[in-house]
Amino acid sequence: MKNKFAIMVLTLLLTMTVVLAGCSSKQEPKEALKAATANAATMTSYELKSKLVIEELQVTAPDLVDDASVGMVMSMLKNAELTVDGFYQADPMQTELTLGLNLKGDMAMSFNIPIIMTPEKMYVKIPSIPMMPLPETVIGKYLELDLKELAEQEGAEFNLNTLDTEKTQKLSSEISEVLFNEYDEASYFKDIAVKDANLPEGVEAKQVVQFYLTNDNIAEAITILVEKALPSMINIIDTDEYRELLGVKAEDIQVIRDELSALDKAEFNQGLEEMKSMLTINNFNMNTAIDKKDFTTYQDMALDFAVNDPETNQEMKLALKGYSQFLNINEAQTFVIGIPAAADILTMEQLEKEFGGLY
């Protein structure tokens, strides 16, 4: 009787262990990121919300001290925000994006540019842009671009494969896997506690993985990229399927291979040492939130570095922060804009006519 009871207890404990392991399914950081990246190839639809903010941008150089235009540009770009929001579905293929630009400073301005894409057409809404006088008759209209006609005008054959999102996701997944394989987990990846990841409200994650670079590993990271990852990535691209997808020829890829093979190791290492002496990385990391289905639901990035060249007295400081959030993955999408009505569409010929001599 005691033996039977012991066996029942052990069986119950084993069952609970298996169930709990299946529920958490938390992986090592690099493996979790690889799985999420590979799973992206199975995404057939999603809603996207993203933002990139330039928190700091400074360029100092003796020959730019008296250049007022440089100061104006720096002022406009500091705290500038770029947003991309929209929807994607694979079948029937349709993408709807709204690009937003918000410039701060003395020359503050903001505008949005909606873009709709189908397999053969692209529609771009013409915005009202401050300091860029456009004819009132075109503002708010959608410029219709026939992708096949554009390709023919450039002397190229229209290749529908370049818009094959499934193949693009597959290529991205294969390249990412090669990239991850080359980088040591202990030196470049780590887990971040979900409660400490500052995820937005509504973002569910079972695990948050951080990829990071520092002053200590940046030179090694570049060496790995050039000597190991790039050759492997080129081998992936150099197939009939992916050459056709990207619209490149075998001879173009061979040129890149030859340039990598001809790289002078001593000169390359000297360049790395010079870079290390001038570069200061204050922060460089990307956090990826992974849900229970192994999909990436949220990513944020922080980049803060400075470059100081003592020989030329040139200095640059740049700090960026951004995020991308994926919602309603593999669910039916509700497009906000949709395909523009015929009355709201302008062809390129009509646009040229409206612009007249200005075009």
Side-chain angles (χ1 to χ4, degrees), residues 124-128 133-143 342-347 349-356 358:
V124 182
K125 190 172 185 179
I126 302 172
S128 175
L134 300 176
E136 290 292 331
T137 51
V138 306
I139 293 175
K141 299 287 186 179
Y142 285 86
L143 175 63
D344 296 326
I345 293 175
L346 285 175
T347 64
E349 291 76 16
Q350 291 171 325
L351 181 68
E352 291 178 18
K353 184 177 178 181
E354 293 292 337
F355 270 75
L358 289 176

Side-chain angles (χ1 to χ4, degrees), residues 8 11 20-21 28 37 60 63 88 128 146 153 179 182 210 214 217 237 242-243 264 279 302 315 329 344:
M8 289 175 62
T11 302
L20 289 173
E28 292 300 314
T37 303
T60 305
D63 56 340
Y88 161 77
S128 175
D146 188 302
Q153 289 172 8
L179 203 58
E182 298 297 347
Q210 182 177 99
T214 66
N217 66 14
I237 294 172
Y242 290 142
R243 284 198 304 269
D264 186 289
L279 176 66
E315 184 177 6
I329 297 172
D344 296 326

Side-chain angles (χ1 to χ4, degrees), residues 146-311:
D146 188 302
L147 302 178
K148 184 176 181 179
E149 287 182 6
L150 286 176
E152 291 172 350
Q153 289 172 8
E154 295 176 2
E157 183 178 346
F158 176 63
N159 180 12
L160 188 59
N161 285 318
T162 58
L163 299 178
D164 191 326
T165 307
E166 184 177 347
K167 286 185 179 179
T168 302
Q169 290 173 331
K170 181 170 172 280
L171 173 60
S172 176
S173 175
E174 290 182 22
I175 286 180
S176 296
E177 183 170 0
V178 165
L179 203 58
F180 292 148
N181 284 341
E182 298 297 347
Y183 288 94
D184 176 61
E185 182 171 75
S187 301
Y188 299 96
F189 302 89
K190 64 182 177 182
D191 269 323
I192 302 294
V194 174
K195 63 181 178 63
D196 297 328
N198 296 319
L199 299 177
E201 185 177 351
V203 173
E204 296 184 2
K206 69 171 183 181
Q207 187 170 0
V208 178
V209 178
Q210 182 177 99
F211 172 81
Y212 61 94
L213 293 175
T214 66
N215 291 308
D216 295 329
N217 66 14
I218 183 65
E220 179 190 60
I222 294 173
T223 301
I224 292 172
L225 176 66
V226 173
E227 295 184 353
K228 296 182 179 180
L230 277 179
S232 298
M233 291 159 65
I234 291 171
N235 289 338
I236 291 174
I237 294 172
D238 195 13
T239 62
D240 292 339
E241 179 185 18
Y242 290 142
R243 284 198 304 269
E244 186 180 14
L245 175 69
L246 299 174
V248 297
K249 299 177 181 178
E251 48 265 37
D252 299 328
I253 296 177
Q254 188 58 46
V255 169
I256 300 175
R257 274 205 182 97
D258 293 341
E259 289 178 350
L260 282 175
S261 298
L263 189 66
D264 186 289
K265 179 73 173 178
E267 186 177 329
F268 176 71
N269 289 336
Q270 182 181 350
L272 283 179
E273 289 302 316
E274 291 177 357
M275 179 204 70
K276 287 172 61 178
S277 68
M278 294 187 292
L279 176 66
T280 301
I281 298 178
N282 299 313
N283 191 19
F284 187 0
N285 62 63
M286 176 176 287
N287 296 327
T288 300
I290 302 168
D291 69 7
K292 61 184 179 181
K293 295 181 180 180
D294 286 333
F295 282 117
T296 295
T297 56
Y298 183 81
Q299 282 185 315
D300 62 44
M301 178 270 294
L303 170 63
D304 184 349
F305 72 92
V307 179
N308 190 346
D309 187 346
E311 292 186 5

Side-chain angles (χ1 to χ4, degrees), residues 45-118:
S45 66
Y46 54 79
E47 179 183 354
L48 170 69
K49 294 180 180 294
S50 63
K51 178 186 284 190
L52 180 68
V53 180
I54 302 176
E55 294 191 327
E56 183 175 10
L57 177 60
Q58 294 182 28
V59 178
T60 305
D63 56 340
L64 298 179
V65 172
D66 299 323
D67 193 331
S69 62
V70 173
M72 182 181 71
V73 171
M74 295 298 106
S75 174
M76 289 178 64
L77 292 180
K78 186 174 182 181
N79 295 318
E81 296 180 354
L82 174 67
T83 58
V84 181
D85 300 320
F87 307 87
Y88 161 77
Q89 71 178 21
D91 187 21
M93 188 278 185
Q94 186 172 332
T95 301
E96 176 178 298
L97 298 173
T98 299
L99 309 183
L101 183 63
N102 186 13
L103 301 178
K104 307 294 180 69
D106 296 334
M107 305 293 289
M109 68 176 76
S110 62
F111 53 87
N112 295 317
I113 305 178
I115 298 174
I116 300 98
M117 285 187 65
T118 65

